Amino acid sequence: MASPNHRLLVGWSKLVSSNLMAAIPFLLANAVAARSLGVSGFGQIAIILAYTKVIDGFFNFQSVNVLTRFLTEALEDKNIPNFRGLVKAGFLVDFLTALFACGVALSGIFLLQRVIGLEEDLVMFAALFCLIIPTRIFGVTEAILRSFDKFWTIGFRQVLLAGLVMCGWIVLAWQNAEPAAYLMVWFGAELVTNLWFISRASAALENTSISDVWNASAQAAIQRAEGFWRMLIQTNITFGIRLLSQDADIIFAGAVFGPGAAGLLRAAKDFANLAGQIGRPIQQVSSSQIARKMQLSGPRAAVGFARKIAVLSAAPALLLALSSYWWAGDFLAVIYGNGYQVAGLVAVVLLLAKAINLGGVTLLPLTIALGNSGDFLWTVILATLCYFAVMLLMAPFAGLLGIAIAHVSFELTWLLTTWNRVYKAMHHVEAARSAG
């Protein structure tokens, strides 16, 4: 049987490989759209994509991190009835909240039009694009695939989406299509990808002879999963608030500085997100390993493992960020066009924020394993308040650079306060176990 470190390395390498395979087509697709539509047209597409992502993230409760913990425990205990019940509960939570998120997104489209100034003929297509949200039931889907180490499948979802979007957008650029067509191509590509992804989770259950999920008792499984609802609500509120600093900035830039500024910011964030390709895979593969460490070796082993992974993740990203000062602007000019070179310094600062973020890449699964997801929520709230304070103070005179600096302030505040709370929680859990 493979060791935990070997499983982590194999899973991470699979996800990073697939993430990079997705990042390159996405980069090419965005470059083609940016050159074809111009800064303003590309900015409007970026605003709509960011809008649906923020609404989806805030109201569509994805249960992946909480389910990963409890599904892992159920498998370790060989409690298959409990596993089935948790899968059923996760699907119901994901799907019903996705429907609600879709309704919220549709109701806010016309407000978005007035605030941002979207083109009239784009509004109807933006509303249609919101209908993709009910297919985004990724929480239970990914948790199932994580439980069986199906990391190629998890990673390939983005590869498939990126490839389909790239091919479609290249054809549209060749035909000088309008922005609405770009939205519809993304809609079709994501619909195909999401349905395929759900089917893979179903196949993983069938291949392990875990069937008859719909006849399982979700209520009984939740009752046995201590703190399920508390952690689910806390982690999803955390994720939604986190998106306000991750993607709502594009909406803010469009509202304050115009769609062109949103396009520049989107290009700078695409550049910075290249470093982020190693972050999400680390969190994905480490979640079940941290849960296992907690279950088998205790809180100190889990924290030590998470800390080591975070340091190894942040160090190379920090070096990349520092070196990018000399070449980020030229990179944007080559990929997106000369009009985007002015966002070079913004891209450098955003990349620095990504490097800092990687220092806490294991914090979410770690706080869940410690049973203290509320700590993660409050540190994100504190960091978000700091983020908006810095952005509102600096953006009026520093423009997009002020938004980028606000990202750095968020990441530093969140990183330091969350690690501090993790160590306090670790000592508390150790003391409780000793007393018990």
Side-chain angles (χ1 to χ4, degrees):
M1 179 181 250
S3 69
N5 286 339
H6 180 262
R7 292 176 66 184
L8 178 70
L9 180 61
V10 170
W12 177 81
S13 64
K14 289 178 180 179
L15 286 172
V16 167
S17 299
S18 56
N19 271 22
L20 291 175
M21 289 168 62
I24 293 173
F26 270 137
L27 191 66
L28 292 175
N30 284 335
V32 166
R35 290 175 177 272
S36 177
L37 297 174
V39 176
S40 180
F42 178 61
Q44 293 197 67
I45 295 297
I47 289 168
I48 294 169
L49 292 175
Y51 169 75
T52 54
K53 184 176 180 180
V54 168
I55 298 297
D56 176 34
F58 210 88
F59 295 101
N60 179 5
F61 275 27
Q62 297 294 343
S63 53
V64 57
N65 288 294
V66 175
L67 273 181
T68 298
R69 171 193 165 174
F70 290 116
L71 289 179
T72 299
E73 291 178 359
L75 286 178
E76 289 292 329
D77 296 338
K78 296 181 172 56
N79 191 341
I80 301 305
N82 198 44
F83 186 95
R84 292 192 186 100
L86 288 168
V87 169
K88 180 179 179 180
F91 179 84
L92 292 173
V93 168
D94 288 356
F95 182 66
L96 292 176
T97 55
L99 285 178
F100 180 73
C102 180
V104 173
L106 286 170
S107 65
I109 282 292
F110 294 102
L111 176 62
L112 181 72
Q113 178 196 11
R114 287 194 291 271
V115 172
I116 304 297
L118 295 178
E119 296 176 3
E120 288 288 340
D121 58 354
L122 193 58
V123 175
M124 181 183 69
F125 291 98
L128 181 60
F129 187 79
C130 293
L131 298 179
I132 197 64
I133 294 176
T135 68
R136 293 175 176 174
I137 48 175
F138 301 146
V140 64
T141 305
E142 184 173 321
I144 293 168
L145 294 170
R146 284 187 192 183
S147 299
F148 299 112
D149 294 335
K150 302 291 185 180
F151 294 113
W152 270 128
T153 304
I154 295 171
F156 188 71
R157 181 182 69 83
Q158 282 291 91
V159 176
L160 179 59
L161 176 60
L164 292 175
V165 169
M166 181 190 69
C167 292
W169 282 14
I170 288 175
V171 172
L172 293 179
W174 177 60
Q175 295 181 340
N176 295 316
E178 296 296 318
Y182 286 80
L183 272 183
M184 290 301 96
V185 164
W186 188 297
F187 179 91
E190 188 172 348
L191 179 63
V192 170
T193 302
N194 294 352
L195 294 178
W196 171 84
F197 193 55
I198 294 168
S199 74
R200 291 302 84 205
S202 177
L205 292 176
E206 292 178 2
N207 291 339
T208 52
S209 300
I210 299 177
S211 58
D212 204 26
V213 167
W214 291 112
N215 288 325
S217 174
Q219 183 177 2
I222 291 173
Q223 288 175 346
R224 285 190 290 269
E226 183 179 355
F228 177 88
W229 285 117
R230 172 178 55 82
M231 286 188 283
L232 180 68
I233 292 170
Q234 288 173 341
T235 54
N236 279 279
I237 291 175
T238 303
F239 180 64
I241 294 173
R242 184 69 178 96
L243 278 178
L244 291 178
S245 60
Q246 286 184 324
D247 289 279
D249 57 347
I250 291 179
I251 303 172
F252 175 83
V256 176
F257 305 116
L264 291 173
L265 183 58
R266 178 69 271 165
K269 294 184 76 169
D270 285 344
F271 169 81
N273 285 339
L274 291 175
Q277 299 308 316
I278 66 171
R280 172 69 171 161
I282 291 170
Q283 186 184 93
Q284 289 170 314
V285 301
S286 66
S287 293
S288 57
Q289 296 298 330
I290 289 171
R292 289 187 182 105
K293 288 278 186 182
M294 181 66 67
Q295 184 84 347
L296 301 175
S297 305
R300 189 170 294 272
V303 171
F305 176 78
R307 182 182 61 236
K308 178 175 68 175
I309 297 301
V311 170
L312 291 174
S313 304
L318 183 60
L319 292 175
L320 177 65
L322 295 176
S323 71
S324 68
Y325 176 81
W326 288 276
W327 51 271
D330 293 334
F331 178 89
L332 294 178
V334 170
I335 299 297
Y336 293 94
N338 292 331
Y340 292 84
Q341 188 169 18
V342 295
L345 185 57
V346 176
V348 172
V349 178
L350 287 172
L351 186 56
L352 177 61
K354 282 289 182 183
I356 297 170
N357 175 266
L358 288 174
V361 70
T362 53
L363 284 173
L364 178 56
L366 183 57
T367 53
I368 291 174
L370 289 166
N372 277 45
S373 56
D375 285 350
F376 196 89
L377 169 61
W378 289 114
T379 58
V380 168
I381 291 175
L382 176 63
T384 302
L385 292 173
C386 180
Y387 166 83
F388 279 109
V390 172
M391 185 169 67
L392 292 174
L393 286 172
M394 297 200 65
F397 67 87
L400 296 182
L401 184 60
I403 296 176
I405 293 172
H407 278 275
V408 172
S409 70
F410 176 97
E411 300 297 353
L412 281 173
T413 303
W414 167 76
L415 182 73
L416 296 176
T417 54
T418 310
W419 273 113
N420 180 57
R421 285 177 175 264
V422 158
Y423 280 103
K424 289 181 179 179
M426 179 189 74
H427 293 308
H428 177 75
V429 171
E430 284 185 325
R433 289 192 174 191
S434 298

